[in-house]
C-alpha cells in the first residue's frame, strides 16, 4: 500500500516514510524546499525524484543548480524533440535486479527539456535511450548515497514496478507478497488484501521481527 499527498502537505505533519517518491515537482516553494531538507533528508531515507524537480523558481527562472541541490545529484539539461525517450537499465547494481537491458519511459514523441545526470559520485543505473539504441551514454537513472539520505533520480517517468520493489527492499520496506500483482493495504492494526477478482490461494510472508 501507499499514501498520496499534495506537495504542500510536506510542510505539515506527515508519516515517517522510508521511501518518498516526488512526481516531478517542477516548482517548490521555499517552505516546501525547507521541509524536504528537514524531514526527508535524514535517517537514511530514500527519495525518488522524477524528471524536473525544483527546476523553475518562483520568478519563472530555470536553474539546474537549484534542481541539483534539491535532489542531491548534479544534473544538466538538453532541449530535445521527436524522440520517445526512455531509460535502459545498465549494470549489476542490486537496485536493478531482474531488469538489466530492459527499458521504461515515455510512450510518445516529445519536444521538451530533458535532464540527465552529470555527477561522478553517483552510480549509473541506466542510460537514456530511444528504445532501440543508447544515446551518447548519458545517464538517465542514477543512485547516490548522500550520507544522511539516499537519492534515486530518473530523467523520464513511468518507473517500472520491479525497480520500485527493489528500492523498497533496499530501504527496508515491508514486503508481504512476492507477487507484484497482489494489492495490499496496511494501516495501523489493519491489513487488507484485495481479492475480489481472484479466488486463488494467497501466500502471506511475515517480515522478520513482526509480531504474530
Amino acid at each position: 500500500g501507499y499514501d498520496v499527498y499534495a506537495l504542500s502537505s510536506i510542510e505539515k505533519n506527515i508519516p515517517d516514510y522510508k521511501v518518498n517518491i516526488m512526481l516531478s515537482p517542477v516548482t517548490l516553494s521555499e517552505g516546501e524546499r525547507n521541509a524536504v531538507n528537514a524531514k526527508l533528508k535524514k535517517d537514511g531515507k530514500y527519495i525518488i525524484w522524477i524528471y524536473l524537480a525544483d527546476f523553475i523558481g518562483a520568478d519563472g527562472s530555470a536553474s539546474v543548480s537549484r534542481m541539483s541541490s534539491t535532489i542531491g545529484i548534479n544534473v544538466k539539461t538538453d532541449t530535445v524533440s521527436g524522440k520517445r525517450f526512455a531509460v535502459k537499465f545498465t549494470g549489476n547494481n542490486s537496485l536493478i535486479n531482474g531488469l538489466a537491458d530492459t527499458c521504461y519511459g515515455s510512450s510518445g514523441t516529445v519536444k521538451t527539456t530533458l535532464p540527465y545526470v552529470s555527477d561522478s559520485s553517483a552510480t549509473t543505473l541506466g542510460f537514456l535511450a530511444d528504445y532501440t539504441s543508447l544515446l551518447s551514454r548519458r545517464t538517465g537513472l542514477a543512485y547516490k548515497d548522500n550520507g544522511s539520505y539516499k537519492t534515486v533520480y530518473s530523467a523520464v517517468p513511468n518507473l517500472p514496478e520491479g525497480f520500485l520493489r527493489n528500492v523498497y527492499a533496499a530501504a527496508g520496506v515491508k514486503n508481504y507478497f512476492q507477487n507484484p500483482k497482489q494489492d495490499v493495504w496496511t494501516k495501523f492494526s489493519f491489513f487488507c488484501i484485495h481479492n475480489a477478482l481472484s479466488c486463488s490461494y494467497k501466500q502471506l510472508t511475515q517480515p522478520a521481527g513482526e509480531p504474530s
Side-chain angles (χ1 to χ4, degrees):
Y2 60 89
D3 297 318
V4 179
Y5 291 89
L7 184 59
S8 57
S9 298
I10 202 170
E11 297 182 68
K12 305 171 185 177
N13 291 324
I14 63 172
D16 192 29
Y17 298 106
K18 295 180 180 178
V19 179
N20 293 272
I21 303 176
M22 312 299 281
L23 300 174
S24 189
V26 178
T27 299
L28 272 68
S29 69
E30 183 177 358
E32 291 164 347
R33 191 179 304 112
N34 290 339
V36 167
N37 292 334
K39 297 180 179 181
L40 305 188
K41 294 182 177 181
K42 64 176 185 177
D43 302 331
K45 298 178 186 293
Y46 279 71
I47 310 176
I48 300 175
W49 299 91
I50 298 173
Y51 190 48
L52 295 174
D54 206 11
F55 183 62
I56 303 298
D59 60 356
S61 63
S63 171
V64 291
S65 61
R66 177 177 53 238
M67 176 175 167
S68 298
S69 175
T70 296
I71 70 174
I73 285 182
N74 294 325
V75 298
K76 295 181 179 179
T77 60
D78 266 344
T79 300
V80 296
S81 62
K83 290 284 188 179
R84 296 174 60 211
F85 282 99
V87 163
K88 184 175 184 179
F89 291 109
T90 304
N92 57 7
N93 190 282
S94 61
L95 294 179
I96 61 171
N97 280 347
L99 300 167
D101 297 323
T102 62
C103 293
Y104 73 92
S106 63
S107 58
T109 58
V110 296
K111 181 178 182 179
T112 186
T113 297
L114 183 69
Y116 60 94
V117 174
S118 179
D119 191 327
S120 60
S121 60
T123 300
T124 294
L125 302 177
F127 291 106
L128 288 169
D130 62 3
Y131 287 106
T132 58
S133 63
L134 297 182
L135 295 177
S136 64
R137 306 295 286 184
R138 285 183 173 173
T139 297
L141 178 68
Y143 160 81
K144 185 176 179 179
D145 188 339
N146 286 299
S148 59
Y149 70 101
K150 299 169 177 63
T151 293
V152 174
Y153 174 72
S154 175
V156 300
N158 302 322
L159 281 165
E161 185 176 8
F163 177 74
L164 293 176
R165 288 170 70 87
N166 288 343
V167 174
Y168 299 156
V173 174
K174 297 171 185 175
N175 181 16
Y176 294 96
F177 286 95
Q178 295 303 315
N179 180 2
K181 302 301 182 183
Q182 180 62 60
D183 294 326
V184 175
W185 183 82
T186 61
K187 197 75 170 181
F188 304 112
S189 299
F190 293 94
F191 183 88
C192 305
I193 303 173
H194 187 276
N195 202 35
L197 302 179
S198 172
C199 295
S200 61
Y201 173 77
K202 307 296 182 185
Q203 181 174 345
L204 171 66
T205 301
Q206 182 172 309
E210 284 288 283
S212 301

